Amino acid sequence: MGIDTERDIEANLQIGPTDQGMVRLFIDAGSLEIPMDFEPDEAIEIAEEIRAAAQAAQQAAGKKRR
């Protein structure tokens, strides 16, 4: 399975700062909880990757609609 494989899993994502100066991505999927802590500079890189992926997805969706 890859990133393009659909799954029927429901999850919640929370993002926020920790009291230790980290940025936490917290994923809650029922009985599974995944806390992921990142240094602020790593979090900025992740945010940039998300933005680039969103822009690529918009472009791909635009090409499919034509």
Side-chain angles (χ1 to χ4, degrees), residues 1 4-5 9 12 15 18-19 33 35-36 42 53-55 57 60:
M1 288 189 209
D4 288 333
T5 304
I9 299 172
N12 294 309
I15 303 169
T18 69
D19 60 356
E33 294 180 346
M36 300 183 333
E42 292 174 308
Q55 289 173 340

Side-chain angles (χ1 to χ4, degrees), residues 1-48:
M1 288 189 209
I3 198 163
D4 288 333
T5 304
E6 283 193 43
R7 294 176 180 88
D8 192 23
I9 299 172
E10 199 170 306
N12 294 309
L13 172 65
Q14 296 178 16
I15 303 169
T18 69
D19 60 356
Q20 300 294 311
M22 304 286 280
V23 175
R24 176 166 291 168
L25 275 66
F26 185 81
I27 301 167
D28 178 12
S31 62
L32 181 64
E33 294 180 346
I34 304 171
M36 300 183 333
D37 292 348
F38 300 93
E39 295 285 341
D41 59 330
E42 292 174 308
I44 291 169
E45 288 179 27
I46 292 167
E48 291 169 352

Side-chain angles (χ1 to χ4, degrees), residues 4 49-65:
D4 288 333
E49 289 178 28
I50 291 171
R51 182 178 294 276
Q55 289 173 340
Q58 284 179 326
Q59 290 174 353
K63 290 178 184 176
K64 289 181 182 179
R65 290 185 191 143

